[in-house]
Amino acid sequence: CAARGDARGRVHVMSTFFYHKLAAGASYNYEGVSRWTREVELRACALVLFPINLGNAHWIVVALDVRKRHFDVWDSLHGRHHACARMLRRYIIDEWLQKYGERTAAAEWTCVPRDDAPRQHNGFDCGVFVCAVARCLALGVPIDVSQDAMADIRRRIVFELMRRRLKLRACENGAAVVGGHAAT
């Protein structure tokens, strides 16, 4: 987990290949990913992010609030993705049992597709939406992402990748700036 440096806690972002390996051939494959977190203490994280590519056609991000045992599915096309959520819930249940010896029931881990997820208005910005939403979640700032901000968000992603660090600046009112727009 990477520390956020404050009381909100640590964040871990799973590889974009994780879900593909977990759901290999549309069947559950815990063995295929069981070693992916051997050096990560997921229970110590406040947030675990799962960027997921669906059929090489669309990106979503699922956010696990470890403390609340709750998954949020963020999809810019507002799909429900119950199968993804069930698969990730099953993974977490198995992970807790295998890694920590803790038995948990599926009912302990809730999941909600976010109806308030930012909406894309084209067929190609889903990856940018995933990056922007994941960034906001990791930084603990409000999600203020819109289709109109895509060019600014793309520039910021390039800037941050080149510098290998997230850049967060504050407005006069202290709100975070995301994609060139003040997050309120």
Side-chain angles (χ1 to χ4, degrees):
C1 299
R4 283 197 273 203
D6 59 25
R8 289 186 308 261
R10 297 176 175 271
V11 175
H12 181 71
V13 181
M14 299 301 275
S15 165
T16 57
F17 297 108
F18 176 84
Y19 186 81
H20 178 74
K21 188 75 167 175
L22 178 67
S27 64
Y28 181 74
N29 180 21
Y30 178 76
E31 287 300 315
V33 297
S34 63
R35 294 183 305 273
W36 288 41
T37 59
R38 70 174 167 243
E39 296 187 26
V40 178
E41 185 69 30
L42 288 181
R43 285 193 314 190
C45 295
L47 183 68
V48 179
L49 298 173
F50 298 88
I52 299 172
N53 182 275
L54 301 170
N56 288 326
H58 184 57
W59 285 95
I60 65 170
V61 64
V62 177
L64 169 61
D65 183 322
V66 176
R67 295 173 184 153
K68 293 179 182 176
R69 295 188 172 204
H70 178 78
F71 292 91
D72 280 318
V73 179
W74 295 89
D75 178 8
S76 57
L77 292 178
H78 289 208
R80 307 313 278 174
H81 308 293
H82 295 294
C84 290
R86 281 192 301 273
M87 185 107 33
L88 290 173
R89 180 170 47 205
R90 185 173 172 190
Y91 162 75
I92 289 295
I93 290 168
D94 285 348
E95 184 78 355
W96 257 233
L97 179 61
Q98 295 300 318
K99 197 168 184 179
Y100 309 117
E102 180 184 334
R103 291 191 183 280
T104 62
E108 293 179 47
W109 301 89
T110 59
C111 178
V112 174
R114 295 297 299 249
D115 292 329
D116 60 339
R119 174 74 92 166
Q120 77 180 76
H121 301 289
N122 61 31
F124 51 85
D125 280 332
C126 55
V128 179
F129 274 93
V130 163
C131 290
V133 167
R135 179 181 188 276
C136 291
L137 292 169
L139 293 172
V141 299
I143 297 171
D144 181 29
V145 177
S146 71
Q147 186 70 56
D148 295 339
M150 285 299 106
D152 290 338
I153 293 171
R154 286 175 188 277
R155 281 190 287 277
R156 192 205 59 243
I157 289 170
V158 170
F159 177 82
E160 290 175 345
L161 286 172
M162 289 176 61
R163 295 207 170 27
R164 295 185 179 181
R165 72 179 322 154
L166 297 179
K167 180 171 176 44
L168 179 68
R169 61 181 184 173
C171 296
E172 297 170 21
N173 64 4
V177 175
V178 178
H181 301 285
T184 54

